[in-house]
């Protein structure tokens, strides 16, 4: 039988040399495991004479206790060294410059819509909503644009396939009406007048859709703001004042010239195109105003009597103006944005400028 003293010496050296916790585990198994060398000695004690058994048994038990203690100490040593290495590796250098947080910001269109709403609210106009999925009646017929009228071509339309579920009273009993994505915010004029008694002073900011090719100033989905002011004696002079005040405030211009050019909309009579002097070049003639010194900013006119009738009102003694402008186009002018498609690009280089 090996001398227990030699064994202990050998085991002690191995324990001290174990480089890792895992290697120490192997050493522990090698000496104290079920088939370990010291375990073997303890197991063989029964084959010895009683005298030898007593002497060796006591020595082997002492050896076991000593090895267990050595292993425990070495394990603590190795684990704390490993933890130190880990901590050093994970050390955070608090003096390194931090990464700047990117702040979210308002989309330029949201800003434009908020500003527009704010200016009109100060003039006593209330902002009203309407549905984006509209019936043929509200988008066209009620606005004095009957089917087959060539004026329908002014608005290239996205028609929807489903013609179901149009039985509500609002649809004037016209169930089976064709549905479409509204091409302008004007249908809300009729929807509002049906439910409220005059006088009116509303704006309708909202999304509209047109089935047309896109380019730098045309999109298939854009925003309009409709305006409607109706009472017994509202005239073109009132309109001119309101619209000039609005554009002066929106563009931050001290004095803006507004010119109404004759135009045609089936739902207004007379109808105008609203022109303002170019805020970009101050009439010095630039590419934005196509060297005319004027910008076309809205369509407008005096509400046609047929529109009052279609909303269930008696047009006698009622008069007022309506207008509609494109929000993207106004924001493009104000912030010098060269292409309308940038609004939907989600490009952070564009968005972070606002
Ligand atoms: C209309 O939509 C009329 N409903 C406006 C109106 C309201 C007239 C009330 C009279 C009374 P128009 O199709 O011109 O009109 O469009 C109005 C504005 O929407 C235009 O001046 C323009 O600024 C904007 N717009 C029109 N088409 C597009 C497009 N494809 N992309 C972006 N903006 C557009």
């Amino acid at each position: 039988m090996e001398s227990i003293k030699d064994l202990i010496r050998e085991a002690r050296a191995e324990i001290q040399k174990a480089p890792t916790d895992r290697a120490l585990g192997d050493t522990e198994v090698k000496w104290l495991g079920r088939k370990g060398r010291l375990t073997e000695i303890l197991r063989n004690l029964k084959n010895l004479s009683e005298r030898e058994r007593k002497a060796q048994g006591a020595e082997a038990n002492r050896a076991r206790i000593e090895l267990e203690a050595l292993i425990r100490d070495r394990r603590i040593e190795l684990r704390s060294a490993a933890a130190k290495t880990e901590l050093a590796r994970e050390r955070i250098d608090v003096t390194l410059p931090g990464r700047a947080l990117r702040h979210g910001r308002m989309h330029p269109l949201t800003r434009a819509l908020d500003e527009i709403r704010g200016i009109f609210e100060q003039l006593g106009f209330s902002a009203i909503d309407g549905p984006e999925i509209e019936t043929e009646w509200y988008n066209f017929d009620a606005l004095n644009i009957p089917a087959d009228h060539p004026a329908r071509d002014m608005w290239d339309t996205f028609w929807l396939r489903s013609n179901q579920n149009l039985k509500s009273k609002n649809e004037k009993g016209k169930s089976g009406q064709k549905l479409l994505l509204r091409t302008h915010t004007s249908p809300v004029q009729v929807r509002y007048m049906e439910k409220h008694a005059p006088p009116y002073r509303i704006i309708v900011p909202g999304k509209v859709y047109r089935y047309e090719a896109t380019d730098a100033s045309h999109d298939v989905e854009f925003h309009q703001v409709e305006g409607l002011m109706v009472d017994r004696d509202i005239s073109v002079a009132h309109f001119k004042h309101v619209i000039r005040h609005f554009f002066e405030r929106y563009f931050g211009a001290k004095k803006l010239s507004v010119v109404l050019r004759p135009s045609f909309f089936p739902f207004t009579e007379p109808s105008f195109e609203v022109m303002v002097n170019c805020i970009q070049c101050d009439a010095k003639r630039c590419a934005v105003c196509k060297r005319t010194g004027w910008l076309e900013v809205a369509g407008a006119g005096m509400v046609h009597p047929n529109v009052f009738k279609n909303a269930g009102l008696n047009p006698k003694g009622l008069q007022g103006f309506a207008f509609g402008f494109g929000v993207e186009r106004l924001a493009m002018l104000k912030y010098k944005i060269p292409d309308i498609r940038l609004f939907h690009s989600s490009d952070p280089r564009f968005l972070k400028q606002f």
Side-chain angles (χ1 to χ4, degrees), residues 292-326:
T292 62
W294 294 96
L295 294 167
E296 186 203 317
V297 283
M302 301 305 288
V303 181
H304 196 291
N306 284 351
V307 178
F308 287 134
K309 276 190 212 151
N310 287 333
L313 297 170
N314 180 358
K316 222 167 157 229
L318 273 187
Q319 59 184 46
F321 63 78
F323 61 87
F325 54 76

Side-chain angles (χ1 to χ4, degrees), residues 154-155 183-186 189 210 212 217-220 222-224 226-227 265 267-268 296-301 322-329 340:
M154 290 167 77
W155 294 279
T183 57
H184 49 181
T185 40
S186 301
Q189 287 184 33
R210 298 220 182 151
E212 53 183 271
S217 55
H218 293 82
D219 213 337
V220 290
F222 59 97
H223 295 77
Q224 285 189 339
E226 189 83 8
F265 293 102
F267 35 95
T268 47
E296 186 203 317
V297 283
F323 61 87
F325 54 76
V327 179
E328 282 79 353
R329 297 259 181 100
I340 194 169

Side-chain angles (χ1 to χ4, degrees), residues 101 107 194 260 300:
L101 278 182
H107 192 279
E194 273 179 348
L260 304 183

Side-chain angles (χ1 to χ4, degrees), residues 260-272:
L260 304 183
R261 236 175 33 186
S263 182
F264 172 73
F265 293 102
F267 35 95
T268 47
E269 182 56 39
S271 304
F272 334 108

